[in-house]
Amino acid sequence: GAGVSQSPRYKVAKRGQDVALRCDPISGHVSLFWYQQALGQGPEFLTYFQNEAQLDKSGLPSDRFFAERPEGSVSTLKIQRTQQEDSAVYLCASSLGEATGAFFGQGTRLTVV
Amino acid sequence: KNEVEQSPQNLTAQEGEFITINCSYSVGISALHWLQQHPGGGIVSLFMLSSGKKKHGRLIATINIQEKHSSLHITASHPRDSAVYICAVKTSGSRLTFGEGTQLTVNP
């Protein structure tokens, strides 16, 4: 596609439910990032992939968060046993390489009730 | 103290005014981004800078590496410029560290 695509756009989950958020980066983009943006705040880094390798996952807030990019293109961010504090917009960004600009998806707004 | 600080947090202007948003950072960086975020979450990259100045239409971005400071200027502001403007820096590795954003409202 022409841009970074994320799905779903909106997700409401009951506390304790598992969710999976999908990111389709721009074709050919090597780098892929996940960010979490709480209401009224700037995005916070979660994790980074270069191709299929997860090079940095230091931003994942707990072991309930897991991300994968098995074939170096589509990525999935999974949150197990969701809690209310997980409510946020989850942003995916991709770039051609480390020295190039990042393109962001529209984000997935997760609300845990 | 955040690694990236923006000012002001909120800015209201009248159409036509010249607008400046500031960004200061406290870490070594390889690049700095200015991003625009509209309601609904979509983020658009406006500029990526590592030195000097860039201009695109009515938008101008400058960076002073020695002073660890960048500014985003909007000339002849328009209500459609209303959005959150975010400064983000690329530090070690490839991650971006974001400022809190500046909410700009331009009134007609």
Side-chain angles (χ1 to χ4, degrees):
Chain A
V4 178
S5 177
Q6 290 188 245
S7 60
R9 286 292 313 278
Y10 304 93
K11 175 70 179 177
V12 178
K14 291 186 177 178
R15 192 168 52 184
Q17 187 179 349
D18 297 349
V19 297
L21 313 180
R22 178 187 169 105
C23 173
D24 280 87
I26 294 173
S27 178
H29 277 198
V30 168
S31 300
L32 185 145
F33 305 83
W34 283 100
Y35 296 93
Q36 179 191 56
Q37 186 175 23
L39 190 63
Q41 298 183 19
E44 296 278 348
F45 171 82
L46 292 177
T47 186
Y48 161 59
F49 290 86
Q50 186 171 311
N51 295 308
E52 69 278 4
Q54 190 174 22
L55 299 187
D56 188 346
K57 57 181 180 180
S58 61
L60 297 176
S62 78
D63 59 7
R64 296 186 296 103
F65 286 71
F66 171 76
E68 60 183 4
R69 194 186 185 198
E71 296 177 2
S73 56
V74 171
S75 177
T76 304
L77 176 67
K78 297 179 180 177
I79 308 173
Q80 296 176 323
R81 304 181 303 281
T82 52
Q83 299 177 6
Q84 281 193 312
E85 62 260 31
D86 300 334
S87 296
V89 174
Y90 291 85
L91 294 164
C92 176
S94 72
S95 67
L96 201 55
E98 288 197 13
T100 58
F103 293 80
F104 286 80
Q106 293 281 359
T108 294
R109 182 177 296 278
L110 172 66
T111 304
V112 181
V113 297
Chain B
K1 190 178 190 301
N2 293 335
E3 291 180 329
V4 181
E5 299 221 337
Q6 289 185 234
S7 64
Q9 282 188 309
N10 293 283
L11 179 58
T12 300
Q14 288 300 120
E15 184 172 356
E17 285 185 0
F18 180 84
I19 287 162
T20 296
I21 300 170
N22 295 300
C23 175
S24 296
Y25 52 93
S26 57
V27 294
I29 69 169
S30 57
L32 182 144
H33 295 249
W34 280 103
L35 308 165
Q36 181 191 57
Q37 186 171 32
H38 282 283
I43 289 181
V44 174
S45 179
L46 299 174
F47 296 103
M48 186 173 76
L49 294 165
S50 55
S51 65
K53 175 179 172 178
K54 286 190 176 180
K55 184 176 189 294
H56 186 253
R58 295 180 295 106
L59 302 178
I60 303 166
T62 63
I63 187 168
N64 185 318
I65 297 294
Q66 287 73 29
E67 294 186 4
K68 295 187 175 178
H69 181 268
S70 176
S71 293
L72 176 69
H73 305 285
I74 305 175
T75 62
S77 60
H78 190 277
R80 65 175 174 267
D81 297 327
S82 298
V84 175
Y85 291 84
I86 303 174
C87 170
V89 299
K90 184 177 285 189
T91 56
S92 60
S94 294
R95 69 165 70 183
L96 290 176
T97 301
F98 293 78
E100 296 282 326
T102 295
Q103 172 70 62
L104 171 65
T105 303
V106 182
N107 294 318

